């Protein structure tokens, strides 16, 4: 049974007030994020490519983004099939809350470069590149713990050659995370997480 049919069946059963034990267990498994400290808030399947990473594509990078939107609006964008964009994770500024929108095994559409999309995990951070007040201690700390976990799980070195900004992706058209992102602090936190 394919995933879509399972989810439709689970939704129909739930709306009828009945969820069979096997369907409930499978639906719960789908809701478990890859990173245990994240909440699962899925992007629409129209905004990423299903895959079986790392067997189909190796995961070599973490790409750091800044949303240029609020946390809530970013989630809404990822859930809008017309937007054609997603990232694996979004980190909220005020408290460092982490939500996962795309499974790490799937290819999120975040880097603007297909090769880098296939080989990276994308992490969006709530805020604007020219407003450093959004880069809170909680945001840096929780994001660094997430990045360290991704690096540990895929054997990615915890350095600037492998943890890169969106602006560093070849042919990038974005400037995030911008010149106000504190890379020294961030890489130090990743290495001590």
């Amino acid at each position: 049974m394919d995933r879509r049919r399972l989810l439709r069946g689970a939704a129909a059963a739930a709306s009828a007030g009945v969820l069979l034990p096997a369907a409930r267990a499978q639906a719960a498994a789908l809701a478990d994020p890859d990173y245990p400290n994240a909440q699962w808030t899925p992007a629409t399947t129209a905004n990423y490519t299903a895959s079986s990473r790392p067997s189909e594509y190796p995961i070599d990078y973490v790409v750091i983004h800044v949303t240029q939107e609020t946390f809530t609006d970013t989630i809404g964008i990822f859930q809008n099939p017309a937007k054609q964009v997603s990232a694996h994770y979004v980190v909220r500024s005020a408290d460092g809350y982490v939500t996962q929108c795309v499974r790490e095994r799937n290819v999120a559409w975040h880097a603007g470069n297909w090769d880098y999309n296939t080989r990276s995990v994308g992490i969006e951070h709530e805020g604007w590149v020219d407003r450093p007040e959004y880069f809170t201690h909680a945001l840096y700390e929780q994001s660094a713990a997430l990045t360290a976990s991704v690096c540990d799980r895929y054997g990615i070195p915890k350095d600037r050659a492998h943890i890169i900004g969106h602006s560093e992706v070849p042919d990038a058209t974005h400037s995030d995370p911008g010149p106000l992102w504190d890379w020294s602090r961030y890489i130090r936190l990743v290495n001590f997480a």
Side-chain angles (χ1 to χ4, degrees):
M1 177 183 296
D2 71 22
R3 179 176 174 217
R4 232 175 246 185
R5 195 171 337 152
L6 170 68
L7 289 175
R8 269 192 235 125
S15 68
V18 176
L19 190 56
L20 303 174
R24 188 178 315 122
Q26 286 181 320
L30 291 174
D32 290 337
D34 295 312
Y35 177 61
N37 294 335
Q39 176 69 39
W40 176 242
T41 309
T44 177
T45 57
N47 287 349
Y48 63 87
T49 301
S51 185
S52 59
R53 299 182 326 154
S55 62
E56 191 169 352
Y57 301 102
I59 300 175
D60 302 320
Y61 299 99
V62 175
V63 178
I64 302 300
H65 301 267
V66 172
T67 62
Q68 299 295 105
E69 295 284 348
T70 66
F71 178 87
T72 302
D73 287 350
T74 301
I75 302 300
I77 289 167
F78 293 170
Q79 293 176 335
N80 180 342
K83 295 297 186 176
Q84 302 288 290
V85 66
S86 63
H88 295 93
Y89 296 95
V90 184
V91 182
R92 189 165 57 202
S93 172
D95 55 6
Y97 175 87
V98 177
T99 193
Q100 183 174 5
C101 299
V102 176
R103 295 276 181 216
E104 291 173 9
R105 71 175 172 254
N106 295 323
V107 179
W109 301 344
H110 62 97
N113 175 314
W114 178 249
D115 183 49
Y116 275 72
N117 280 344
T118 63
R119 298 178 5 193
S120 64
V121 170
I123 304 175
E124 287 279 3
H125 297 83
E126 178 184 29
W128 284 262
V129 296
D130 59 346
R131 295 171 63 185
E133 64 270 21
Y134 276 89
F135 304 155
T136 65
H137 179 69
L139 177 134
Y140 276 120
E141 194 170 66
Q142 294 307 311
S143 174
L146 166 61
T147 295
S149 174
V150 170
C151 290
D152 289 344
R153 285 184 277 121
Y154 298 105
I156 301 170
K158 297 175 184 174
D159 60 28
R160 284 288 285 122
H162 296 88
I163 303 168
I164 63 173
H166 190 184
S167 61
E168 297 169 298
V169 172
D171 303 318
T173 59
H174 291 250
S175 62
D176 59 304
L180 302 176
W181 182 263
D182 189 343
W183 279 109
S184 296
R185 175 183 185 189
Y186 189 69
I187 296 298
R188 186 173 54 254
L189 286 168
V190 168
N191 280 282
F192 287 111

